[in-house]
Amino acid sequence: MNTSRVFVFKQLKSLLRVKCSSAAPSNDLRRLTSTPGSCPKVCVVGGGPAGFYTAQHLLKAHPAVQVDIYERLPIPFGLVRFGVAPDHPEVKNVINTFTQTAQHERCSFHGNVNVGKDVSVQELQQAYHAVVLSYGAEGNRSLGVPGENLSGVYSAKDFVGWYNGLPSNKDLKADLRSETAVILGQGNVALDVARILLSPLDILKKTDITQPALEALAASRVRRVLIVGRRGPLQVACTIKELREMVNLPGTKPEMVTAEFQGIAEALKDLPRPRKRLTELMLKAAQGSCEGGGAEKRWGFRFLRSPVEILPAPDVSRAAGIRLGINRLEGSGEGARAVPTGEVEDVECGLIISSIGYQSLPIDPAVPFDPRKAIIPNRMGRVQEAAGLYCSGWVKRGPTGVIATTMNDSFDTARSLIQDMETGELDISTAKMGSQAVAPLLLKRGVSPVSFSDWEKIDTEEMKRGKAAGKPREKMLDVAEMLKAAHA
Amino acid sequence: MAASAAARVSAGLTLRFSKVNPGCNPCTLPRLNSCSHANLGAAREGILYSFRNLNRSLQTSNHSTGVHNYESEKANAEETKDDVNVVYIDRSGRRIPVKAKVGDNVLYLAHKHGIDLEGACEASLACSTCHVYVRSDYYDKLPQSEEREDDMLDMAPMLQENSRLGCQIIVTPELDGIELTLPRVTRNFYVDGHVPAPH
């Protein structure tokens, strides 16, 4: 009998069985877990990338911390599921990393819990040693121009939510009858919207885009998409991958105004590499384009234009055009400012999508909020003037950046939290009840949380339905339907 | 049957781990322990880490790479002279020398040794989280990056001349002695003090 094998198994099994409150079989671990409060409990509000990356880092950095993630929807992953475009499935691979975190023995997921309504932040602070706010940005910046509420005008956030199956955007009736669509904003979200509007159906129908969106796009009459920005070509906020996808989009052709690129080629040599490569590609697209005409689908940038008014159709209920103010640029580079010249031009269009940024909202009176910057005031993730409160992701630094940006940001917040535990700045000496204190409150209030394994039932059902349709999944669009599948 | 197979693998892993990393290297346990808190023996650490990492590689959607790693775990019970020396320099500046096999993927090699190189998109050129700096004398030995890699690199913070994505670097004999540094994306997110200009 090989005794080394027995040794391996025994130790492996005992290590895997270590729980915070039970007696640990080995002496050194018992020393670690026998004192009360050596099992810190952290609550994360928000089950998107920020929440999961913060949890991941906390679990790795501390051997006994218990992390509970609360999420308003029954399902996790936030913008990875509802923001990333359907034709970008590789970006969604990060879900596998988050799944591992959720399945960690010291982590638990509590979906269908609305923090601020079903349970207050104060109650969470009583139950946990620390609360991390990672609830992102669910609002959007408004244009602030007349006609903004006409039918045919949508925020990119809602439009993207609609084709990605966000339950609150289920009833958006996208009016795709107009030949020209104008997108305000030139970031990656604007380019995603343009690409989804003009992508061949053959490509879209194999993605996880929702069935209603697919049907609406199949009937769409949109043939021309203008992506409008208030500054110039050197200030576009999109990145080269998304621009390249537009340039290479089958069945489409760029339509730019070459005059808008005057002086740009000369500026290339002084640009840092990412901006230089992006601008070179844009110039190439501009030079290869033709203005107007042809049956093919067309797309193009328009620069130095700001919305002034959305013009109604004769029956005054829906949009028929947009009045754009013409700007000139003051300064150069990233800090250049758009200054109105007073001139305007009108563009005929029945679909206007405003892609000028998401915006965070305050969650609870107990949490400080800066209404001007629309973030939680903080220093390196520590909420100002609120001991035991932390924040990560978009609600901490503003709604920009890709998953990698949020990852680094979340790791920073986790590091601040861990440091505070080590220095005693964060008091973890008294034992806290964690989810055991929250569960009875939820029960009393008629809230039934969805666990991670409940989500997995929803996941399996979605994939099963998708398989029948030749898609990776067919998303459920309705919270009631999700809850039914979760508790089946 | 399955139990004895698992025991063989575990024993093999213990053997291999203790040979490769003779010193206690507590921070190689991903997502579990930190060096100042745990006082586990190196052998136990090694098993637990390797066991978890096996699960991780098996769970990735890039199935072929996952399988490759699992196979190479079994085959690597003893070192051979075909090993290629790779050194990672982690975000705190610590040097972590590892033994690689020709054909190993630098991202998954890092995972195998508990180095915190994230691979959010699992080597599909859809993110920049596996960004590394390649020591300049080795940078030119790598095949040129394809356009898709350059597009992703453009989004990485603290891009340098010698930046590459770890998931695109495959170990070859010429890379023996290569050093890969993980960029320090520190507390001040923009480490040079740069603040994005509002407009």
Side-chain angles (χ1 to χ4, degrees):
Chain A
M1 170 71 144
N2 189 339
T3 50
S4 68
R5 274 193 225 173
V6 176
F7 165 78
V8 162
F9 258 129
K10 260 201 184 142
Q11 300 304 335
L12 186 57
K13 273 170 35 184
S14 68
L15 275 170
L16 289 176
R17 247 194 282 122
V18 165
K19 290 248 185 281
C20 219
S21 51
S22 61
S26 68
N27 278 332
D28 34 22
L29 283 165
R30 182 179 292 143
R31 178 171 29 92
L32 195 64
T33 58
S34 62
T35 55
S38 53
C39 181
K41 294 200 166 86
V42 177
C43 163
V44 171
V45 177
F52 273 99
Y53 272 130
T54 307
Q56 177 187 314
H57 200 90
L58 288 171
L59 291 165
K60 174 180 169 182
H62 194 290
V65 71
Q66 168 77 33
V67 182
D68 293 342
I69 301 175
Y70 289 85
E71 162 59 47
R72 181 171 58 188
L73 285 172
I75 53 192
F77 311 133
L79 282 177
V80 178
R81 175 178 163 109
F82 298 113
V84 174
D87 56 352
H88 285 169
E90 321 80 14
V91 178
K92 302 189 201 200
N93 283 344
V94 73
I95 282 174
N96 296 331
T97 308
F98 298 158
T99 296
Q100 273 200 298
T101 298
Q103 291 171 338
H104 191 288
E105 57 172 1
R106 287 184 282 118
C107 183
S108 66
F109 173 79
H110 306 258
N112 197 37
V113 178
N114 187 333
V115 172
K117 181 171 153 279
D118 296 336
V119 60
S120 71
V121 169
Q122 207 171 25
E123 285 167 333
L124 289 176
Q125 284 188 284
Q126 277 158 13
Y128 292 91
H129 292 104
V131 174
V132 183
L133 298 149
S134 314
Y135 62 84
E138 68 184 276
N140 47 254
R141 295 178 61 206
S142 75
L143 287 170
V145 303
E148 194 166 358
N149 297 315
L150 287 169
S151 133
V153 184
Y154 311 99
S155 70
K157 177 187 84 69
D158 288 340
F159 197 79
V160 171
W162 168 70
Y163 65 63
N164 273 337
L166 187 61
S168 50
N169 294 131
K170 184 168 58 112
D171 299 322
L172 185 145
K173 303 260 181 298
D175 187 342
L176 305 175
R177 290 174 291 173
S178 134
E179 195 204 302
T180 298
V182 166
I183 302 176
L184 300 162
Q186 296 173 327
N188 284 339
V189 178
L191 263 64
D192 275 357
V193 170
R195 191 177 71 252
I196 296 295
L197 280 173
L198 297 179
S199 274
L201 265 305
D202 282 341
I203 294 176
L204 290 181
K205 72 181 187 207
K206 298 191 199 120
T207 69
D208 64 6
I209 194 169
T210 67
Q211 197 53 31
L214 196 56
E215 285 167 14
L217 288 165
S220 162
R221 286 202 235 136
V222 175
R223 294 287 173 272
R224 182 169 165 252
V225 177
L226 301 177
I227 308 168
V228 177
R230 58 188 166 169
R231 298 191 295 171
L234 295 176
Q235 287 80 33
V236 291
C238 63
T239 54
I240 195 169
K241 172 174 176 259
E242 282 71 16
L243 180 60
R244 211 182 284 287
E245 286 173 326
M246 284 310 296
V247 170
N248 296 335
L249 192 58
T252 70
K253 185 184 255 187
E255 180 202 282
M256 315 259 203
V257 177
T258 38
E260 293 185 345
F261 290 89
Q262 253 187 3
I264 298 301
E266 292 73 30
L268 276 177
K269 55 179 166 41
D270 299 319
L271 299 172
R273 177 187 121 151
R275 180 60 70 181
K276 178 158 180 273
R277 289 180 78 240
L278 175 64
T279 311
E280 275 170 349
L281 180 60
M282 219 189 319
L283 274 175
K284 205 170 113 186
Q287 279 149 14
S289 74
C290 70
E291 300 189 35
E296 278 190 271
K297 297 179 187 174
R298 292 153 283 141
W299 68 277
F301 288 122
R302 292 292 182 274
F303 298 103
L304 297 169
R305 302 285 184 273
S306 292
V308 165
E309 186 182 343
I310 303 197
L311 308 167
D315 67 357
V316 202
S317 66
R318 51 190 177 83
I322 185 167
R323 180 157 292 158
L324 298 170
I326 300 174
N327 302 322
R328 61 178 172 79
L329 222 49
E330 239 172 44
S332 65
E334 309 290 327
R337 300 191 77 87
V339 176
T341 58
E343 284 177 55
V344 296
E345 86 187 0
D346 290 354
V347 175
E348 200 180 307
C349 58
L351 176 62
I352 292 151
I353 297 180
S354 132
S355 185
I356 58 174
Y358 288 55
Q359 196 169 56
S360 291
L361 302 176
I363 190 174
D364 186 294
V367 180
F369 192 79
D370 179 338
R372 197 178 58 85
K373 291 188 198 163
I375 57 170
I376 296 176
N378 71 94
R379 230 173 255 122
M380 302 228 260
R382 295 176 177 99
V383 177
Q384 282 179 7
E385 269 130 66
L389 278 184
Y390 298 80
C391 55
S392 67
W394 281 7
V395 80
K396 166 187 172 189
R397 62 170 208 284
T400 59
V402 293
I403 288 174
T405 338
T406 289
M407 179 187 84
N408 291 320
D409 169 284
S410 302
F411 287 176
D412 268 355
T413 293
R415 273 193 280 271
S416 295
L417 207 165
I418 296 283
Q419 191 182 60
D420 289 354
M421 283 202 267
E422 287 170 359
T423 58
E425 185 70 37
L426 182 66
D427 183 10
I428 54 170
S429 59
T430 43
K432 293 270 191 174
M433 301 265 284
S435 58
Q436 291 184 318
V438 177
L441 293 174
L442 297 175
L443 187 63
K444 198 169 63 172
R445 294 163 189 173
V447 177
S448 50
V450 171
S451 70
F452 201 76
S453 51
D454 290 336
W455 144 248
E456 285 171 329
K457 291 186 219 158
I458 299 173
D459 189 29
T460 304
E461 180 56 30
E462 287 187 341
M463 290 194 288
K464 180 168 145 218
R465 294 181 191 180
K467 197 155 181 225
K471 298 159 86 171
R473 70 177 59 241
E474 188 61 62
K475 288 179 180 171
M476 290 185 201
L477 305 177
D478 187 76
V479 171
E481 198 186 354
M482 292 171 187
L483 290 175
K484 189 156 159 252
H487 296 128
Chain B
M1 265 307 134
S4 57
R8 260 204 310 284
V9 172
S10 306
L13 290 171
T14 319
L15 220 59
R16 182 182 161 276
F17 192 79
S18 54
K19 269 193 188 173
V20 168
N21 272 353
C24 177
N25 195 5
C27 295
T28 59
L29 261 178
R31 305 189 176 120
L32 210 61
N33 281 324
S34 83
C35 44
S36 57
H37 288 277
N39 194 21
L40 302 172
R44 269 188 274 164
E45 254 181 63
I47 300 154
L48 198 57
Y49 146 73
S50 302
F51 192 84
R52 284 209 176 251
N53 220 42
L54 259 185
N55 278 340
R56 191 196 160 99
S57 358
L58 288 170
Q59 272 174 37
T60 61
S61 64
N62 191 351
H63 286 302
S64 57
T65 312
V67 167
H68 168 85
N69 276 336
Y70 183 63
E71 295 293 330
S72 65
E73 291 285 13
K74 284 202 286 188
N76 287 353
E78 317 90 41
E79 289 178 7
T80 69
K81 58 175 163 14
D82 299 323
D83 286 350
V84 175
N85 293 297
V86 175
V87 177
Y88 291 92
I89 297 168
D90 76 7
R91 297 183 209 274
S92 57
R94 195 167 44 138
R95 288 176 65 88
I96 303 164
V98 310
K99 295 261 187 249
K101 293 277 174 221
V102 171
D104 276 351
N105 177 301
V106 155
L107 171 63
Y108 293 117
L109 180 68
H111 288 173
K112 206 150 90 170
H113 295 276
I115 290 152
D116 69 339
L117 191 59
E118 284 292 324
C121 76
E122 298 177 354
S124 53
L125 286 177
C127 78
S128 58
T129 57
C130 67
H131 175 207
V132 291
Y133 301 135
V134 180
R135 207 176 80 181
S136 40
D137 48 344
Y138 284 90
Y139 183 79
D140 294 321
K141 295 187 187 179
L142 297 174
Q144 204 180 24
S145 48
E146 58 174 282
E147 192 175 70
R148 286 173 61 205
E149 180 184 346
D150 285 337
D151 285 355
M152 286 301 112
L153 272 172
D154 278 359
M155 299 209 283
M158 298 163 62
L159 187 68
Q160 287 179 183
E161 291 285 335
N162 60 339
S163 285
R164 289 296 300 259
L165 292 182
C167 69
Q168 300 301 300
I169 302 175
I170 305 299
V171 173
T172 60
E174 300 76 58
L175 299 182
D176 189 39
I178 191 171
E179 281 180 12
L180 302 161
T181 304
L182 274 59
R184 295 195 196 195
V185 192
T186 67
R187 291 173 157 258
N188 299 320
F189 182 61
Y190 294 98
V191 82
D192 58 358
H194 162 77
V195 174
H199 59 272

